[in-house]
Amino acid sequence: MSEQKSALAESHDTLVAEEEAVALTSELIRIDTTNTGDPATVVGERAAAEYVAEKLAEVGYETTYVESGAKGRGNVIARLAGADPSRGALLVHGHLDVVPADPAEWSVHPFSGAVQDDYVWGRGAVDMKDMLGMTLATARRFKRDGIVPPRDLIFAFLADEEAGGEYGAQWLVENRADLFEGATEAISEVGGFSITVKDGVRAYMIETAEKGIAWLRLRARGRAGHGSMVHEDNAVTKLTQAVARLGTHKFPVVLTDSVKEFFAAVTELTGMEFDEADLDGSVAKLGAVARMVGATLRDTANPTMLNAGYKANVIPSVAEAVVDCRVLPGRREAFERELDEILGPDIEREYITNLPSVETTFDGALVDAMTASIIAEDPGAVTLPYMLSGGTDAKSFQSLGIRCFGFAPLRLPADLDFSALFHGVDERVPVDALKFGTRVLDRFLRSS
């Protein structure tokens, strides 16, 4: 009878955590934490950090609140002691900030946190307040129910990831590394989500690598003059020609270990071949996830901003552009050589943000625990590694010698274009996916 009661209590506690994860995700979305990249216009990070700290304190956690480098850029860190203090700690980290959203473009208000049509809606629903909600619900359950994990768990809720982490993970690593003492491995966003492959089998993509971020400011100089005159030293012309060359340039295909492993796993599952003579065509057959995978075949350089001049009839002496470059692991030197050849000698360049690539192997006890936790909730599923074309706070934490993965588990509908939701209009996450992810995360943190 006691075992039956225990099983019933466990089932009840699991359901409570699942429902709490949905509610917490919704409530976090309602806190507008828009990060414009300009510290003067950033909002809400302190409010979100204080909300998280309060939720953790309610169940007995001692939290550390840190404002990093600028007022209001709040970060919260808490540690749960594990059974074996001699083992390296596991860091579970996520960011509180989100990119801007225009309410006029959305079906619901982007900061409503609406729970409707079996989804939680709003900016941050998948990037990444879903993972924050699941993490917070699981952390609260462990403390409330006296669950002792195998090793120390460090929960970190961070500012400024959407602008590179200068006031979040970067600042903490440089100034408060003591908060992560003993951590050897980490999990965070954009991994552990499912894609549906042949015969309805779900494959869960675990992030083992991500491209480097190189946000560049390009600058051309020329002779100022009157707009009505013949002018052969025009800064705007020089710049736009160089930007057009770069924006239309196709960098060479370079297959990293993570991408090769992904292709091999998909081939084994589906029989689909990835012909190196037409990789773009082969990847296109992957469906919605093709956008993500295709961006990891080569370096990319996308112009995003232009700035020049102050009057229609005045030729300016300086013109500037910003380019978002993403660089494959091991390609930085080759990329910069190619960049200089494309731009030519008349274009100055400087880094606005320069963050390294990340890559680890798809093996070891932590990967085994991820796989086992997924399969326990979705029998017949498989896991496979992949490279993220974007970037996360893993770029900062790897400098502490921490091995980083993307593992925010979600079981998704086969027809959901998940990658399009990141920074997209009508961002949303399925309620069932949040509940599934909470169960998986609970299992994983108990066994890792």
Side-chain angles (χ1 to χ4, degrees):
M1 182 65 72
S2 61
E3 288 183 5
Q4 184 178 9
K5 284 184 178 179
S6 177
L8 287 171
E10 178 75 13
S11 177
H12 174 265
D13 291 343
T14 299
L15 288 172
V16 168
E18 290 176 23
E19 294 297 335
E20 191 170 60
V22 175
L24 290 168
T25 300
S26 174
E27 289 169 17
L28 283 163
I29 290 170
R30 285 181 218 151
I31 304 172
D32 181 352
T33 54
T34 297
N35 187 349
T36 62
D38 177 2
T41 58
V42 169
V43 297
E45 286 176 336
R46 171 190 272 179
E50 289 175 343
Y51 169 90
V52 167
E54 180 183 348
K55 291 296 181 182
L56 291 171
E58 278 180 0
V59 292
Y61 280 96
E62 292 184 10
T63 63
T64 300
Y65 175 87
V66 180
E67 287 196 358
S68 48
K71 187 176 181 180
R73 312 308 295 269
N75 301 270
V76 174
I77 294 89
R79 186 183 287 252
L80 180 63
D84 185 356
S86 68
R87 288 187 61 194
L90 175 66
L91 171 63
V92 184
H93 63 95
H95 61 88
L96 297 161
D97 61 322
V98 298
V99 296
D102 180 358
E105 298 177 332
W106 286 58
S107 301
V108 301
H109 194 284
F111 297 106
S112 66
V115 183
Q116 62 186 50
D117 303 323
D118 299 320
Y119 283 82
V120 180
W121 297 69
R123 177 59 84 220
V126 298
D127 188 14
M128 61 168 298
K129 291 181 177 179
D130 57 342
M131 180 59 170
L132 298 186
M134 294 188 295
T135 299
L136 197 50
T138 304
R140 281 167 57 86
R141 180 191 179 176
F142 277 28
K143 194 71 169 179
R144 188 171 53 233
D145 296 346
I147 296 168
V148 179
R151 55 171 164 168
D152 284 10
L153 300 176
I154 303 170
F155 300 106
F157 302 82
L158 308 170
D160 199 36
E161 189 272 349
E162 294 292 1
E166 181 180 356
Y167 299 107
Q170 278 192 61
W171 191 93
L172 291 167
V173 164
E174 292 169 3
N175 296 276
R176 291 299 310 272
D178 59 294
L179 294 171
F180 312 104
E181 183 178 355
T184 56
E185 295 170 308
I187 62 166
S188 189
E189 60 180 324
V190 207
F193 60 90
S194 70
I195 60 173
T196 302
V197 293
K198 186 179 180 181
D199 298 328
V201 173
R202 279 182 289 271
Y204 289 80
M205 297 173 63
I206 295 172
E207 187 218 303
T208 57
E210 58 188 54
K211 296 169 83 172
I213 298 176
W215 293 345
L216 284 174
R217 178 174 286 112
L218 307 181
R219 185 179 296 111
R221 300 183 188 275
R223 189 178 76 254
H226 198 291
S228 69
M229 302 292 181
V230 175
H231 203 92
E232 296 177 351
D233 189 21
N234 189 313
V236 175
T237 303
K238 291 178 188 177
L239 179 76
T240 53
Q241 288 175 342
V243 167
R245 288 195 301 271
L246 182 57
T248 56
H249 178 73
K250 205 164 190 178
F251 288 88
V253 169
V254 178
L255 296 183
T256 62
D257 290 342
S258 295
V259 172
K260 288 178 183 175
E261 284 188 65
F262 173 82
F263 286 156
V266 172
T267 298
E268 185 176 346
L269 277 172
T270 67
M272 184 187 301
E273 297 289 340
F274 294 90
D275 183 0
E276 291 195 25
D278 182 25
L279 269 181
D280 291 320
S282 299
V283 168
K285 297 175 184 176
L286 291 170
V289 79
R291 186 185 299 109
M292 265 185 171
V293 177
T296 64
L297 301 181
R298 52 173 58 87
D299 303 326
T300 58
N302 285 308
T304 55
M305 299 172 70
L306 290 168
N307 183 35
Y310 51 88
K311 198 171 187 295
N313 62 347
V314 178
I315 298 170
S317 61
V318 178
E320 295 184 339
V322 173
V323 184
D324 183 352
C325 304
R326 305 294 172 126
V327 186
L328 292 169
R331 270 279 301 175
R332 182 52 66 96
E333 289 184 7
F335 173 79
E336 291 187 344
R337 286 195 302 270
E338 200 164 344
L339 192 66
D340 288 338
E341 290 174 6
I342 296 164
L343 294 174
D346 293 335
I347 305 299
E348 303 169 15
R349 62 175 173 87
E350 63 176 327
Y351 287 111
I352 302 169
T353 296
N354 186 13
L355 299 174
S357 58
V358 176
E359 189 163 31
T360 188
T361 53
F362 188 61
D363 57 16
L366 197 72
V367 171
D368 292 343
M370 292 178 196
T371 301
S373 300
I374 290 280
I375 292 173
E377 295 295 335
D378 189 1
V382 297
T383 58
L384 63 163
Y386 91 106
M387 178 187 292
L388 177 66
S389 60
T392 74
D393 283 331
K395 296 182 182 305
S396 296
F397 290 120
Q398 74 166 356
S399 68
L400 296 178
I402 298 173
R403 188 182 182 209
C404 298
F405 295 88
F407 187 66
L410 297 170
R411 183 173 60 199
L412 300 170
D415 59 351
L416 181 66
D417 188 353
F418 185 61
S419 64
L421 298 176
F422 286 83
H423 298 190
V425 172
D426 285 343
E427 184 179 348
R428 60 198 183 278
V429 63
V431 169
D432 283 347
L434 281 171
K435 294 179 178 181
F436 170 86
T438 304
R439 296 194 301 272
V440 171
L441 194 61
D442 183 293
R443 287 181 181 273
F444 170 70
L445 295 180
R446 292 184 196 227
S447 62
S448 61

